[in-house]
Amino acid sequence: PRPILTAIHRISDGRSLSRIRKDAGGPLPVGDALAYLQDALEALQYLHEQGLVYCDFKPDNVMVGEDGRVRVVDFGLAHVDDYRDSGPTLTKQDLVSGTPEYMSPEQCRSLAVGASTDIYAIGCLLTEMLQLQPPFVGNAVEVMTQQMFVPAPPLRRASTVPPVPPLLERLRLSLLAKHPEQRPQSIAEVKRLLEEAMSEEA
């Protein structure tokens, strides 16, 4: 079954990915991080199929219930019209909105957003799951400036934890490309590349 999409800001019988990561006391095992991410990708793919762009994909908004089901919550920034159109959002038009650590370069510039905006945020979330913090940290202005102009740094993991497969790191960096056309072009493509990166053959 598809992961649950809900406008409820929080659910009482689960933990956010942010909480799960903190409770782990270190980077999540790669397999666990990707299992959560793959379920959340199902939700994002469904949203995109309905003509929606989420625009606030971050660990706090991905909840894992006691039943193990992944729920994507809080649609306060979602574009409610076809993302290929320049129609209104639930927030004021032309206003820079979002969480800086997970905002795409175009979102930081208050430009038109699309599926690639959520795809960039996937790269930010994946980075945090694997190294304990998103690609860029600092105050809001510093982070947004880095999102727009600074190439994504290599993954930082302690030598005491298992390394990340090279194809997964290549995918992570492609998700964080500064220009939308340089990123995977759909959630379906992201899912396929994730499977390839984690395959035994790779």
Side-chain angles (χ1 to χ4, degrees), residues 16 30 41 52 91 98 103 123 135 151-152 156 161 170 180 196:
S16 68
V30 173
L41 291 183
L52 295 170
T91 55
M103 288 168 60
R156 299 180 294 274
V161 298
R170 185 187 304 175
E196 290 180 0

Side-chain angles (χ1 to χ4, degrees), residues 27-181:
L28 292 179
V30 173
D32 292 351
L34 294 190
Y36 292 132
L37 179 60
Q38 286 169 328
D39 280 351
L41 291 183
E42 291 290 336
L44 282 184
Q45 184 173 12
Y46 180 76
L47 285 175
H48 290 180
E49 290 169 355
Q50 309 313 306
L52 295 170
V53 185
Y54 185 44
C55 293
D56 201 23
F57 189 65
K58 59 185 180 181
D60 282 343
N61 286 345
V62 179
M63 303 291 292
V64 181
E66 292 179 358
D67 57 2
R69 296 198 65 185
V70 172
R71 294 162 169 87
V72 175
V73 304
D74 194 352
F75 294 88
L77 299 182
H79 278 240
V80 296
D81 284 348
D82 190 327
Y83 59 75
R84 292 162 293 189
D85 195 359
S86 58
T89 70
L90 297 182
T91 55
K92 183 178 178 182
Q93 247 182 322
D94 301 321
L95 181 69
V96 176
S97 299
T99 305
E101 290 82 0
Y102 309 94
M103 288 168 60
S104 68
E106 60 271 19
Q107 196 174 1
C108 291
R109 292 185 174 94
S110 195
L111 300 176
V113 297
S116 59
T117 299
D118 288 340
I119 287 170
Y120 186 92
I122 292 167
C124 295
L125 182 145
L126 177 61
T127 300
E128 181 167 348
M129 293 296 99
L130 296 176
Q131 71 170 23
L132 302 182
Q133 64 182 30
F136 303 111
V137 295
N139 64 46
V141 173
E142 290 170 344
V143 171
M144 292 174 68
T145 299
Q146 292 176 94
Q147 298 285 35
M148 290 187 285
F149 301 115
V150 179
L155 198 64
R156 299 180 294 274
R157 282 168 68 87
S159 59
T160 54
V161 298
V164 168
L167 281 183
L168 180 58
E169 173 65 351
R170 185 187 304 175
L171 171 58
R172 187 188 69 88
L173 293 175
S174 73
L175 294 169
L176 295 171
K178 297 302 174 187
H179 300 288
E181 63 273 12

